[in-house]
Amino acid sequence: MAGRIRDADIQLVRDRVDIAEIIGERVTLRNAGGGNLKGLCPFHDERSPSFNVTPARGVYHCFGCGVGGDAITFLTELDGLGFVEAVERLAARAGINLTYEDVDGRVQRGPAAKPGLKQRLLEAHAEAADFYAARLTDAEARIGRRFLADRGFGRDAAAHFGCGYAPDAWDALTKHLRAKGFGAEELTDAGLAKPARSGSLIDRFRRRLVWPIRDSSGATIGFGARKLFDDDQGPKYLNTPETALYKKSQVLYGIDLARKEIAKSGRVVIVEGYTDVMACHLAGVPVAVATCGTAFGPEHTRILRRFLFDSDDAGGRIVFTFDGDDAGQRAAAKAFDTEQRFVSQTYIAVTPDGQDPCELRQNRGDAAVRELIERHTPLVQFALDREIAKHDLDTAEGRLHATRAIAPLLAGVKDRGLVEEYLGDYAGRLGKDKAELQSAVKAAAAGRSAPEPVPAQRRSREADSTQLRAQREALKVALQHPQLAGPYFDAVDATPYTDPNYRAVREAVAAAGGAAAAAAGANWIAAVAAACTELAASALVNELAVEELFIDHEPDAVYVRTLLARIQRPVVEAEVADLKGRLQRLNPSTDKDEYMSLFGKLMSSEQHVRSLRDQAANAVE
């Protein structure tokens, strides 16, 4: 067994290694004054940077969660390396040849210690990346080169992104790596090889175009492989399985090439595939990254936040790009669930005609890709529009369901200033008052499943009670004084009666011939009761026929008119809101005739509301 690393060498590693460089590969650091650097802590989520690095002393400390140490500690804590493995990795970077001592203090020169598992897996991946890249020039790989060329990627682009080819052989890579000294268990642990049914070890990737997947430091930790042949029974894209190095929920393709530009510009573009990353970088958008065979999730957010310096004061920008098809729409909606973890603003750029950035670059050139990214829409606006599009806003039910759908989305928007803007915009589109939509949003934020009663949609309980009492009173007057109430009562149909039994009685009055034609007395009451289709309504007729009115004098025409004005007013107000919403959704220049027709109806309805308001001033209280 190898001995321990000599203390003097460990100290030499600490002295020689630039801790800012090591940490800067994982966290964007900015000058904090006094020789210190500051960034977002990689060990806990925070909105304001509290992670400090002091290069002169070779140490770091987070004032938020309390972690701290030197470069060795950083690798052991963040990458899960053992102490010796972390020292060896740093020593290799600094060009230091470590010395080991056995238990008796005798010196063992050179690489006497066996590298740790993760270091061996990294070395195996580095060898595999070189092997695949070299194979891309073989005659057999012509189909892979053609695949790249057809998408606008030449030899230089392939080399820049490390593209390679997995040959048509069962164990070409396995034999190559075994010859380099890697054992079967190491190749299996790395996900580069797998056992065959025969028990022998075979390559995981065969007859495929290969992309190396690297971490932010540039070390290869896995591969993505694209099917090239029709008789390949595997999936279109096949990635490295979960290993000690490769965890798909934490991997972003292209982060090694994009991280410095992300830190510099405060912007990141999230695309869907390897070729999309290539297309964006080559088109002048060097901040593009992609997930590897999985949806964008919380761990991806944490990684990007560190590079974006995503804090309250940073003002960064995150742009998601998705295809315009249904799958892309669903992916965008799912991204909205995660975007709230960013402090910076998030946007979406939907590619035209279902083209991804790679296809867009092929068909329309580099400028079209740049234009796509610049022509972005706030992600929250995209999500709101997508929900609203599911509902028919020309119906009251559709507007209600649309309100319920967007209220939770608005409740989750982190920028309260934006919420105010959206409230005004979307309230208009839904034909509602801003206060009404705001109340629904507050209800959603409080965790209620449905909006609490809000103005102009549902009256408060007190107002509901008053309204129902007015409806009940109108029915009593029609039953007890039909000749007085008839001319006014019969002119208002059952629509304003919100209680089902009240509505049934109103319909029974009409079925019995109307109040105006009736004579007060038992026959009239019996006729209405007989016209009821439900027993509950029939019983209610008899109850209303004997119940006292809410006035201490004989009713007159003014009393009847005020009652009917009170019960009609909510219906006409809803019509006004509906007309306003429909007008806002029309373009006056292209829908002129319909616009003018609706505008005329709106003017008439608003006049009707004013008239009812005046008449209802003396209504039942």
Side-chain angles (χ1 to χ4, degrees):
M1 179 180 293
R4 61 188 296 274
I5 302 173
R6 192 169 60 178
D7 290 342
D9 286 356
I10 295 174
Q11 188 57 48
L12 183 61
V13 168
R14 290 191 174 109
D15 293 341
R16 291 265 190 93
V17 166
D18 183 347
I19 190 171
E21 180 182 321
I22 299 300
I23 295 178
E25 292 177 349
R26 311 299 179 86
V27 179
T28 292
L29 299 173
R30 295 183 179 173
N31 194 339
N36 292 324
L37 303 172
K38 182 178 286 190
L40 290 174
C41 181
F43 299 102
H44 82 287
D45 288 329
E46 58 180 0
R47 293 178 65 91
S48 298
S50 59
F51 184 82
N52 286 257
V53 179
T54 307
R57 293 197 293 272
V59 297
Y60 68 90
H61 179 79
C62 178
F63 290 96
C65 66
V67 300
D70 56 19
I72 300 171
T73 310
F74 184 80
L75 290 186
T76 60
E77 294 293 330
L78 192 64
D79 286 1
L81 302 179
F83 179 83
V84 171
E85 193 171 7
V87 173
E88 289 173 342
R89 184 179 296 184
L90 293 172
R93 288 179 62 124
I96 298 172
N97 188 25
L98 297 174
T99 301
Y100 299 81
E101 297 174 338
D102 62 18
V103 292
D104 297 322
R106 290 176 295 190
V107 173
Q108 298 177 344
R109 295 285 181 186
K114 181 181 179 180
L117 171 63
K118 287 190 175 180
Q119 186 59 36
R120 286 291 288 172
L121 299 188
L122 286 171
E123 292 171 1
H125 276 86
E127 289 286 351
D130 289 343
F131 173 83
Y132 288 139
R135 299 286 73 75
L136 188 60
T137 62
D138 293 349
E140 178 193 335
R142 183 181 298 108
I143 185 173
R145 296 193 297 273
R146 186 167 64 247
F147 176 94
L148 292 171
D150 287 347
R151 287 155 181 78
F153 306 126
R155 180 181 301 177
D156 291 342
H160 180 68
F161 291 94
C163 298
Y165 179 77
D168 183 11
W170 288 107
D171 57 358
L173 177 66
T174 299
K175 286 182 177 179
H176 175 77
L177 294 179
R178 293 297 296 268
K180 294 284 185 177
F182 292 96
E185 185 176 354
E186 290 175 325
L187 299 186
T188 304
D189 289 342
L192 296 170
K194 59 182 181 180
R197 285 193 293 268
S198 63
S200 61
L201 209 59
I202 59 174
D203 296 348
R204 178 169 295 276
F205 305 118
R206 294 179 51 245
R207 307 167 69 212
R208 286 179 173 250
L209 187 64
V210 175
W211 285 266
I213 301 170
R214 304 172 178 129
D215 65 15
S216 58
S217 71
T220 301
I221 57 175
F223 294 94
R226 210 275 189 192
K227 180 167 69 173
L228 297 172
F229 298 92
D230 292 338
D231 61 349
D232 187 334
Q233 298 302 307
K236 184 176 180 180
Y237 281 94
L238 180 64
N239 290 340
T240 293
E242 295 278 312
T243 69
L245 296 180
Y246 184 89
K247 302 185 185 304
K248 63 182 179 181
S249 64
Q250 302 173 13
V251 172
L252 287 165
Y253 176 72
I255 191 65
D256 56 310
L257 300 173
R259 67 176 179 84
K260 290 184 179 179
E261 285 295 331
I262 291 172
K264 180 180 177 181
S265 66
R267 185 177 70 159
V268 64
V269 174
I270 300 163
V271 297
E272 293 193 83
Y274 306 118
T275 57
D276 294 331
V277 170
M278 295 174 71
C280 284
H281 281 245
L282 295 175
V285 186
V287 293
V289 296
T291 58
C292 299
T294 187
F296 188 86
E299 290 299 320
H300 299 124
T301 303
R302 291 186 63 186
I303 293 168
L304 288 179
R305 288 195 66 231
R306 298 202 301 263
F307 290 121
L308 278 167
F309 206 88
D310 183 40
S311 63
D312 289 319
D313 302 324
R317 181 169 296 191
I318 301 98
V319 181
F320 291 87
T321 68
F322 294 103
D323 296 350
D325 59 15
D326 289 341
Q329 297 269 318
R330 290 192 298 272
K334 189 167 185 178
F336 180 75
D337 297 335
T338 302
E339 73 89 30
Q340 296 298 314
R341 297 174 182 269
F342 285 108
V343 177
S344 302
Q345 294 300 318
T346 53
Y347 300 85
I348 182 169
V350 179
T351 54
D353 305 321
Q355 298 181 81
D356 56 36
C358 178
E359 293 167 332
L360 190 62
R361 179 174 179 263
Q362 284 176 258
N363 298 327
R364 294 172 51 189
D366 291 348
V369 176
R370 296 193 297 270
E371 181 184 351
L372 166 70
I373 304 305
E374 292 303 322
R375 198 179 61 248
H376 51 250
T377 301
L379 185 54
V380 62
Q381 181 179 328
F382 174 85
L384 291 168
D385 290 344
R386 184 174 184 270
E387 287 300 322
I388 284 180
K390 298 176 182 178
H391 306 283
D392 181 2
L393 300 187
D394 288 333
T395 67
E397 183 181 36
R399 292 191 296 274
L400 175 61
H401 289 311
T403 301
R404 290 174 173 171
I406 70 171
L409 301 181
L410 287 169
V413 175
K414 50 188 174 282
D415 189 328
R416 304 320 297 170
L418 276 179
V419 173
E420 288 300 314
E421 293 291 330
Y422 287 132
L423 282 172
D425 183 18
Y426 285 92
R429 292 178 60 180
L430 294 171
K432 298 181 179 298
D433 294 329
K434 181 177 178 180
E436 186 179 352
L437 182 56
Q438 189 172 39
S439 183
V441 172
K442 286 181 179 178
R448 292 188 285 271
S449 59
E452 63 185 358
V454 292
Q457 177 187 3
R458 285 187 235 162
R459 253 51 55 187
S460 65
R461 289 178 180 174
E462 294 80 6
D464 276 342
S465 177
T466 300
Q467 186 67 23
L468 288 172
R469 191 166 68 181
Q471 295 171 22
R472 188 180 184 93
E473 193 77 353
L475 292 173
K476 288 193 293 184
V477 171
L479 291 170
Q480 297 176 24
H481 303 276
Q483 292 176 326
L484 169 67
Y488 311 105
F489 182 89
D490 291 345
V492 180
D493 65 14
T495 303
Y497 295 88
T498 55
D499 183 278
N501 287 326
Y502 290 175
R503 181 174 296 173
V505 172
R506 173 62 186 87
E507 291 171 344
V509 169
N523 290 339
W524 167 236
I525 302 302
V528 175
C532 292
T533 57
E534 299 290 338
L535 290 176
S538 179
L540 180 61
V541 168
N542 294 314
E543 181 181 334
L544 296 173
V546 298
E547 187 176 293
E548 291 185 3
L549 297 175
F550 284 105
I551 53 175
D552 55 7
H553 57 79
E554 286 296 307
D556 55 20
V558 173
Y559 183 68
V560 175
R561 286 199 303 269
T562 57
L563 280 174
L564 294 169
R566 167 60 67 86
I567 68 174
Q568 286 182 86
R569 184 176 163 187
V571 176
V572 183
E573 286 176 338
E575 291 175 357
V576 169
D578 175 64
L579 289 167
K580 286 181 177 179
R582 292 169 66 183
L583 281 168
Q584 288 182 339
R585 294 191 293 275
L586 287 177
N587 186 331
S589 61
T590 58
D591 304 301
K592 184 176 180 180
D593 291 342
E594 184 178 0
Y595 187 90
M596 294 308 297
S597 174
L598 290 177
F599 184 78
K601 292 178 181 178
L602 175 62
M603 293 298 99
S604 176
S605 295
E606 286 185 330
Q607 177 60 40
H608 194 185
V609 168
R610 286 192 291 271
S611 174
L612 292 171
R613 187 181 296 118
D614 293 339
Q615 293 180 48
N618 297 318
V620 177
E621 296 296 345

